[in-house]
Amino acid sequence: MLWVKAFHIIFVVTWFAGLFYLPRLYVYHSMATDSISIERFKLMERKLFYGIMTPSAVLAVLCGLTLFIGYGIGMKAGWMHAKLLLVLVLIAHHVYLGKLMIDFKHDRNGHGHKFYRWLNEIPAAPVLFLVVILVVVKPF
Ligand code: HEM
């Protein structure tokens, strides 16, 4: 069980690395005007999303579900139910970042850099704080 939890935490960390870095790339991509930079951002975004973020998300969730369903940890616990709700928000945010990547790929981005500066923090940062507090402190 501890090996599964160790890998769960490792993949959560690599997932969040992408959740914080991809919107940062969008900040600079939305301000770029020369085609060399624009093509470089498209390549970086694609590699980050498909090469790191999505595999990390899948492995983090699979390890988490193994702990939850396989070992029955937190099965009837309020903290776990609240955590799962927040994880759904995170998965929806991940999918939305993917949709924005495809918009950028087709040069049809509709947002300015200020929007992406907010997206860089929300909802990833508050969800990270809340989920880690829920799973470590188990307040209810
Ligand atoms: C469907 C997704 C997820 C499920 C089913 C899940 C489930 C679990 C379970 C059952 C544990 C063991 C808790 C314990 O031993 O007390 C755990 C540990 C942990 N989870 Fe998740 N988790 C998921 C996603 C996440 C996410 C997205 C984060 C980060 C934001 C996260 C952060 C952690 C941390 C830090 C621990 C270690 C807690 C400790 O050892 O005290 N998990 N998870």
Side-chain angles (χ1 to χ4, degrees):
M1 190 277 277
L2 290 180
W3 280 94
V4 178
K5 193 191 285 190
F7 281 104
H8 177 54
I9 297 171
I10 291 167
F11 294 125
V12 161
V13 171
T14 54
W15 186 15
F16 271 91
L19 289 169
F20 284 122
Y21 189 40
L22 190 57
R24 180 53 53 178
L25 287 176
Y26 292 163
V27 169
Y28 302 121
H29 193 162
S30 67
M31 295 190 289
T33 52
D34 67 292
S35 60
I36 293 173
S37 303
I38 289 170
E39 290 313 311
R40 185 180 302 121
F41 282 125
K42 290 179 185 178
L43 179 70
M44 292 169 76
E45 289 154 6
R46 193 176 69 243
K47 287 194 170 187
L48 179 61
F49 187 80
Y50 292 116
I52 298 175
M53 265 174 79
T54 304
S56 299
V58 170
L59 292 167
V61 169
L62 281 180
C63 291
L65 290 173
T66 305
L67 294 166
F68 178 50
I69 297 169
Y71 292 91
I73 302 171
M75 201 45 89
K76 293 194 177 65
W79 63 266
M80 188 68 213
H81 300 155
K83 179 181 175 179
L84 290 176
L85 213 59
L86 290 167
V87 172
L88 286 180
V89 171
L90 215 56
I91 292 170
H93 177 56
H94 181 109
V95 173
Y96 179 57
L97 289 177
K99 180 251 178 213
L100 292 170
M101 182 188 64
I102 292 165
D103 286 349
F104 271 113
K105 179 183 172 193
H106 299 290
D107 301 315
R108 56 171 189 246
N109 167 46
H111 301 284
H113 67 89
K114 280 204 182 87
F115 171 82
Y116 291 116
R117 289 178 196 280
W118 279 106
L119 201 63
N120 199 179
E121 309 306 337
I122 296 171
V127 167
L128 177 62
F129 277 77
L130 289 170
V131 168
V132 172
I133 290 167
L134 281 167
V135 73
V136 173
V137 180
K138 300 180 172 62
F140 49 83

